[in-house]
Amino acid sequence: MTLAQRETDVLSTIIESYISTALPVGSRTVANASRLKLSAASMRNTMADLTDKGYLEQPHTSAGRIPTAKAFRLYVDSLLRMRPISREERSSILARLTLQGLEISKMLQQATAMVSSLSHEVALVLAPGGNDVRWRRVDFSLLADRLILAVLVLDGGMVHSRVVQLDEQVTTDDLIHFANYLNSHYTGLSFSEARSRILRELHRTEAHLEKLCARALGLARLAFSGETEEERQLFVEGTLTMLDKAEFTDAARMRELLALLDERTRLLKLLDNTMRSADVSVSIAPDMPEAEDSFAGLSVISAPYGGDVPLGVVSVIGPLRMDYGTVVPVVDCISKSLSTLLKDRFSA
């Protein structure tokens, strides 16, 4: 449904007032803030038309209007004015992430804290899942007789390690040969691809495999083929910011939202879906059929990080009346900063 210019101006004014105050907006407020020089009667008529079209609702008969989810969808898609992050702020963000060193968990934890601090909302950062990240190298160390430490390094600085008990004796030289063989054949594959290939190779008749190959694959199978996708780390910061939001002053609603943030399975599903976008996405409750009723009145702003093949996602969850003009650039900047650091440090 196309709106007239007068209607979009009035709607934009109402939304921005509601974002600022969390209060229903009356015609007098709109008349004072809007660029339109309309009479009180004309303003009331325009607001009534927007209500009939589903963009506004009136919580009480004597109250002003508040924007609906449909209004916020239009606002985000067509009316939003961004407040971009300056070059100096971008440099500062990148520097603060760089200070975390090479350990990706610390970097993502810092990124989550920064998103929450800059957006004043609940921030979530989903760490990479091991199965989809490329194999960089594997190393084996002899801990004791027939006791081996296997360490697999994946793109992005992710490390899988496991202690393996063997049935036969091996030497340090054997382990070096095994690692060299595996690194020459599996580097560059995703963890899941490498694991599948190892299992396929072992299903072939061992007579067709060289002894070194068979032993190396057997050790790799023991070390890694039994692993499933690790429980992906999900960093959450800013839960207490909800206490400052008018929408969550109701104790029951606050408990519902806290329970939602504690349900990893549902959050992971939601965030995984947002990784399909190539850029920043804004999901408003009706756009998220998988989110169910507990997401009513909420928006999720997300951006994937990691380059052409996303490794994870940076997100913010907050009320419909989030300050999108501020939050969208924050999420975009930090996701791109993470992509830059991961590419510079860990890509081949």
Side-chain angles (χ1 to χ4, degrees), residues 205-279:
T205 305
E206 288 207 2
H208 295 163
L209 299 174
E210 296 179 5
K211 185 177 181 181
L212 171 63
C213 168
R215 295 183 73 195
L217 290 171
L219 180 55
R221 178 185 61 80
L222 287 174
F224 304 116
S225 66
E227 291 200 3
T228 59
E229 171 88 344
E230 286 190 335
E231 184 175 298
R232 298 178 70 174
Q233 285 184 293
L234 177 62
F235 300 92
V236 181
E237 291 280 351
T239 304
L240 292 180
T241 63
M242 295 185 297
L243 295 174
D244 300 326
K245 311 295 182 184
E247 293 86 347
F248 308 126
T249 53
D250 178 72
R253 180 60 175 137
M254 177 62 105
R255 283 195 298 271
E256 184 180 19
L257 187 55
L258 289 172
L260 169 65
L261 293 173
D262 201 41
E263 290 186 45
R264 284 183 48 88
T265 301
R266 295 174 64 199
L267 286 176
L268 290 175
K269 180 180 178 182
L270 178 69
L271 297 182
D272 269 332
N273 287 341
T274 66
M275 287 178 63
R276 299 170 186 170
S277 174
D279 207 341

Side-chain angles (χ1 to χ4, degrees), residues 24-283:
V25 183
S27 58
R28 188 185 298 273
T29 300
V30 183
N32 291 336
S34 174
R35 297 172 297 173
L36 297 172
K37 296 180 180 179
L38 298 176
S39 66
S42 295
M43 185 64 73
R44 284 194 295 273
N45 288 337
T46 300
M47 292 173 68
D49 290 341
L50 289 168
T51 302
D52 291 340
K53 293 176 180 179
Y55 292 100
L56 299 177
E57 58 187 2
Q58 193 170 20
H60 306 289
T61 304
S62 59
R65 306 299 209 277
I66 64 173
T68 62
K70 180 179 178 180
F72 276 105
R73 181 75 272 165
L74 176 67
Y75 178 72
V76 168
D77 292 343
S78 307
L79 308 177
L80 182 59
R81 290 172 290 185
M82 298 294 185
R83 287 180 285 283
I85 294 178
S86 68
R87 180 177 299 178
E88 292 75 17
E89 290 171 319
R90 288 178 180 275
S91 297
S92 174
I93 287 170
L94 196 60
R96 289 170 65 185
L97 291 174
T98 302
L99 287 175
Q100 302 310 306
L102 294 176
E103 189 174 336
I104 191 170
S105 292
K106 290 182 178 179
M107 190 187 301
L108 297 181
Q109 192 168 34
Q110 175 66 21
T112 314
M114 290 168 63
V115 172
S116 179
S117 175
L118 293 169
S119 68
H120 306 291
E121 303 289 354
V122 178
L124 305 95
V125 174
L126 181 62
N131 281 344
D132 297 322
V133 183
R134 282 195 282 267
W135 176 321
R136 293 299 299 272
R137 64 173 292 110
V138 64
D139 289 295
F140 300 113
S141 299
L142 187 61
L143 299 179
D145 185 33
R146 302 183 185 182
L147 196 63
I148 310 300
L149 173 64
V151 179
L152 177 66
V153 181
L154 304 171
D155 269 354
M158 298 179 64
V159 176
H160 292 232
S161 61
R162 178 173 291 186
V163 175
V164 179
Q165 180 78 52
L166 298 182
D167 294 330
E168 59 179 335
Q169 288 186 331
V170 293
T171 67
T172 299
D173 285 343
D174 289 333
L175 295 178
I176 292 173
H177 290 315
F178 297 163
N180 288 341
Y181 172 83
L182 293 169
N183 289 329
S184 66
H185 286 77
Y186 298 101
T187 295
L189 297 178
S190 72
F191 186 20
S192 57
E193 289 171 340
R195 186 173 56 194
S196 296
R197 185 179 293 183
I198 287 170
L199 294 175
R200 285 199 305 271
E201 293 291 334
L202 284 171
H203 286 155
R204 294 167 52 194
T205 305
E206 288 207 2
H208 295 163
L209 299 174
E210 296 179 5
K211 185 177 181 181
L212 171 63
C213 168
R215 295 183 73 195
L217 290 171
L219 180 55
R221 178 185 61 80
L222 287 174
F224 304 116
S225 66
E227 291 200 3
T228 59
E229 171 88 344
E230 286 190 335
E231 184 175 298
R232 298 178 70 174
Q233 285 184 293
L234 177 62
F235 300 92
V236 181
E237 291 280 351
T239 304
L240 292 180
T241 63
M242 295 185 297
L243 295 174
D244 300 326
K245 311 295 182 184
E247 293 86 347
F248 308 126
T249 53
D250 178 72
R253 180 60 175 137
M254 177 62 105
R255 283 195 298 271
E256 184 180 19
L257 187 55
L258 289 172
L260 169 65
L261 293 173
D262 201 41
E263 290 186 45
R264 284 183 48 88
T265 301
R266 295 174 64 199
L267 286 176
L268 290 175
K269 180 180 178 182
L270 178 69
L271 297 182
D272 269 332
N273 287 341
T274 66
M275 287 178 63
R276 299 170 186 170
S277 174
D279 207 341
V280 182
S281 63
V282 179
S283 301

